[in-house]
């Protein structure tokens, strides 16, 4: 179950959101009285309520907005109990002062905005002893290990416990709470109005992560990156799981370089059986792998990990997706001789995707040139792949058959930028932009206007994800469902 927190300054807005959420299927809401401007009219808020509520009035020290006296705050909480509210949230230091009455259930809570306490088992036991029906702990995650500790402590608890790690590192604890026995998790009404760090919206929890369908046997997949909040991989993989009715969830894990090894060691304890890998881990993760496929070995980077009989096996689906995307656009994919053979390919950028492209097309007999805004990176890539580096300013002097943008130029929100001036585009060129958000970048729009053959980043992104899905599940990916989910997430304004 998902509890949706509502924090609005006016009674009528809080009541309206409550009714709207109930219409959307919410089964429990938290009314944050500390957000109300002026005197609180409890009876007005609770009259004809469309679904059960938790009454919370949080002090500033606990992350709330209450500015009145502590005596007035506790009086509000007692009044809510007297009105027969379904749940009341009581901080650990006042729980003993407010006795149980009627049918109202007691949530005894503790918040720590600096860290996740070390003694979670002892802490849950102490809070439970304060006549708690439910224990709630919300603590800041500073490392992925904090999620692991919180989720396992929640599973071991003898009193029903909601254990949440705050911040973007802590997002997995909110999504995986159902798998580890939480009676419910918390979300916000809108992702633009989060009431706690790292809180997801009700829509995200339901429509992306399908929270209410998760259980103790749900398989866990995810993406590891730093940062990770921008990734749209959860959107498309979870859409594929839902389409195939596959009991799995795909979670964003923010993992730093320093925490990578420990995270990979602990991931199976969270039910993780497969991961997508992106910046900054594609190269360093190889040291932890027991076996790699040929593409990973050749490129020196992995973007996919699958646990097979306890061993970590690495794959690189970017490689095949990139090759297939371009060769299909050129109309001759699958033949003995690649359609890029003998062609001049100009790659803009010198990062991980550029290396995949340069290596793959150089092996297929193309003349590959690399231009980067950072010239020494282009030099290093050219030396490693045995292709040619040119100055960024010299990119227009090349008569390229294929132009590939591997830079982030043109990515949302900087949609009015392009790495290549339209006046140098020719109708005979193939233009491949690996940026997928938006799909129609300025470069792609201008290439179409010049009658170039175009390949969008969406094509490559979906292809690599589909290959990952096959590795994760053993099933062919539902391409249409994945593509539709991605385009909905990007939105018509950006496509």
């Amino acid at each position: 179950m998902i509890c949706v927190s509502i924090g609005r300054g006016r009674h009528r807005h809080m009541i309206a959101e409550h009714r709207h959420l109930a219409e959307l299927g919410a089964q429990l809401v938290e009314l944050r009285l500390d957000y109300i401007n002026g005197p609180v009219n409890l009876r007005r808020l609770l009259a004809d309520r469309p679904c059960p509520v938790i009454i919370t009035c949080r002090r500033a020290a606990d992350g709330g907005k209450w500015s009145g006296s502590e005596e007035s705050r506790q009086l509000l909480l007692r009044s809510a109990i007297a009105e027969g509210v379904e749940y009341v949230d009581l901080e650990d230091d006042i729980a003993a002062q407010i006795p149980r009455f009627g049918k109202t259930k007691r949530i005894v809570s503790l918040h720590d905005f600096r860290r996740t306490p070390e003694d979670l088992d002892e802490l849950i036991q102490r809070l439970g002893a304060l006549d708690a029906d439910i224990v709630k702990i919300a603590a800041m995650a500073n490392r992925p290990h904090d999620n692991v500790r919180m989720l396992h402590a929640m599973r071991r608890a003898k009193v029903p416990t909601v254990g949440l790690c705050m911040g973007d590192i802590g997002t997995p604890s909110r999504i995986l709470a159902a798998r580890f026995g939480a009676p419910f998790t918390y979300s916000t009404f809108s992702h633009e109005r989060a009431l706690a760090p790292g809180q997801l919206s009700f829509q995200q929890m339901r429509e992306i992560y399908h929270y209410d369908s998760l259980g103790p046997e749900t398989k866990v997949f995810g993406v590891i990156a730093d940062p990770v909040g921008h990734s749209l991989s959860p959107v498309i993989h979870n859409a594929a799981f839902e389409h195939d009715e596959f009991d799995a969830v795909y979670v964003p894990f923010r993992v730093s370089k320093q925490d990578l090894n420990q995270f990979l060691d602990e991931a199976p304890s969270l039910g993780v059986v497969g991961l997508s890998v992106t910046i900054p881990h594609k190269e360093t993760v190889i040291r932890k792998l027991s076996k790699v496929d040929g593409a990973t070995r050749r490129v020196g980077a992995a973007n996919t990990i699958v646990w097979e009989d306890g061993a970590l096996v690495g794959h690189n689906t970017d490689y095949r997706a990139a090759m297939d995307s371009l060769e299909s656009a050129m109309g001759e994919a699958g033949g003995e001789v690649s359609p890029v053979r003998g062609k001049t390919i100009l790659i803009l950028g010198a990062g991980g995707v550029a290396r995949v492209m340069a290596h793959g097309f150089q092996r297929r007999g193309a003349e590959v040139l690399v231009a980067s805004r950072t010239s020494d990176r282009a030099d290093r890539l050219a030396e490693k792949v045995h292709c040619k580096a040119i100055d960024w300013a010299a990119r227009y002097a090349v008569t390229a058959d294929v132009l590939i943008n591997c830079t982030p130029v043109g990515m949302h929100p900087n949609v009015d930028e392009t790495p290549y001036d339209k006046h140098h585009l020719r109708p005979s060129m193939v233009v491949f932009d690996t940026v997928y958000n938006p799909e129609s970048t300025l470069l792609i729009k201008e290439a179409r206007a010049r009658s170039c053959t175009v390949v969008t980043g969406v094509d490559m992104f979906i292809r690599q994800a589909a290959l990952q899905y096959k590795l994760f599940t053993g099933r062919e990916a539902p391409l249409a469902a994945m593509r539709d989910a991605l385009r909905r997430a990007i939105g018509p304004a950006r496509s």
Side-chain angles (χ1 to χ4, degrees), residues 6 29 34 49 51 64 73 107 129 146 204 247 275 393 397 407 439 472 483:
I6 304 176
V29 301
D34 50 304
R49 54 189 180 274
C51 72
R73 189 180 78 93
I107 300 172
D146 292 332
Q204 289 172 311
D247 186 14
L275 290 169
T407 77
E439 177 174 10
F472 289 160
R483 194 178 297 273

Side-chain angles (χ1 to χ4, degrees), residues 411-429:
M411 183 183 294
H412 179 78
N414 303 313
V415 296
D416 295 326
E417 299 178 359
T418 177
Y420 198 84
D421 189 274
K422 63 183 178 181
H423 299 295
H424 296 275
L425 296 170
R426 306 182 318 279
S428 61
M429 293 176 70

Side-chain angles (χ1 to χ4, degrees), residues 170-179 185 200 205 209 211 214 249-252:
T171 296
S173 70
R174 298 179 180 275
I175 300 168
L176 298 178
R179 193 180 190 280
T185 192
L200 298 170
M205 292 293 281
Y209 299 105
Y211 180 86
L214 307 184
V249 64
Y250 186 101
V251 179

Side-chain angles (χ1 to χ4, degrees), residues 5-10 14 30-40 42 45 54-68 73 76-77 89 91 195:
S5 300
I6 304 176
R8 299 302 300 270
R10 304 185 67 175
M14 191 171 280
E30 178 187 43
L31 302 183
R32 287 289 298 269
L33 305 187
D34 50 304
Y35 275 73
I36 296 284
N37 297 321
V40 177
L42 260 177
L45 291 173
I54 299 171
I55 288 295
T56 301
C57 189
R58 198 73 75 203
R59 301 168 296 200
D62 297 307
K65 299 182 70 173
W66 180 255
S67 58
R73 189 180 78 93
L76 265 179
L77 296 171
D89 187 307
E91 294 86 2
L195 274 62

Side-chain angles (χ1 to χ4, degrees), residues 35-290:
Y35 275 73
I36 296 284
N37 297 321
V40 177
N41 187 332
L42 260 177
R43 290 189 174 178
R44 182 182 174 190
L45 291 173
L46 298 177
D48 301 319
R49 54 189 180 274
C51 72
V53 303
I54 299 171
I55 288 295
T56 301
C57 189
R58 198 73 75 203
R59 301 168 296 200
D62 297 307
K65 299 182 70 173
W66 180 255
S67 58
S69 70
E70 178 61 13
E71 181 181 3
S72 299
R73 189 180 78 93
Q74 292 190 29
L75 180 60
L76 265 179
L77 296 171
R78 288 189 175 93
S79 299
I81 296 172
E83 291 291 335
V85 71
E86 286 79 14
Y87 297 90
V88 64
D89 187 307
L90 307 170
E91 294 86 2
D92 63 318
D93 61 326
I94 69 163
Q97 303 169 38
I98 299 180
R100 180 183 295 275
F101 178 78
K103 295 183 179 180
T104 299
K105 293 186 177 180
R106 295 160 55 90
I107 300 172
V108 178
S109 63
L110 180 141
H111 296 75
D112 191 325
F113 289 87
R114 295 182 300 107
R115 63 188 182 92
T116 299
E118 294 297 328
D119 54 342
L120 287 173
D121 291 328
E122 180 183 329
L123 184 57
I124 290 170
Q125 186 176 1
R126 179 174 71 79
L127 297 178
L130 295 170
D131 195 18
D133 295 292
I134 295 173
V135 166
K136 177 193 174 187
I137 299 175
M140 185 61 68
N142 295 307
R143 301 179 61 195
H145 180 59
D146 292 332
N147 291 315
V148 178
R149 294 194 299 112
M150 183 68 81
L151 289 166
H152 285 290
M154 189 163 58
R155 173 177 280 172
R156 290 190 297 266
K158 293 182 171 57
V159 178
T161 297
V162 179
L164 303 172
C165 288
M166 293 184 286
D168 54 353
I169 294 176
T171 296
S173 70
R174 298 179 180 275
I175 300 168
L176 298 178
R179 193 180 190 280
F180 285 81
F184 51 83
T185 192
Y186 286 81
S187 72
T188 184
F189 178 78
S190 166
H191 71 277
E192 296 174 347
R193 287 193 275 116
L195 274 62
Q199 199 172 48
L200 298 170
S201 72
F202 180 57
Q203 182 181 22
Q204 289 172 311
M205 292 293 281
R206 274 208 324 176
E207 297 181 10
I208 296 178
Y209 299 105
H210 310 290
Y211 180 86
D212 287 329
S213 68
L214 307 184
E217 301 304 317
T218 298
K219 296 182 185 299
V220 181
F221 300 89
V223 54
I224 55 172
D226 188 18
V228 75
H230 66 284
S231 176
L232 292 176
S233 293
V235 172
I236 60 174
H237 280 284
N238 284 313
F241 293 148
E242 182 190 29
H243 179 276
D244 285 354
E245 298 181 351
F246 189 73
D247 186 14
V249 64
Y250 186 101
V251 179
F253 294 102
R254 183 181 172 189
V255 179
S256 70
K257 289 182 178 180
Q258 294 76 17
D259 291 320
L260 178 62
N261 287 344
Q262 183 177 18
F263 174 80
L264 292 175
D265 290 339
E266 294 179 337
S269 76
L270 299 180
V272 175
V273 291
L275 290 169
S276 306
V277 183
T278 186
I279 297 172
H281 302 307
K282 288 187 177 184
E283 297 175 22
T284 55
V285 76
I286 291 178
R287 294 194 293 267
K288 286 287 289 184
L289 304 179
S290 303

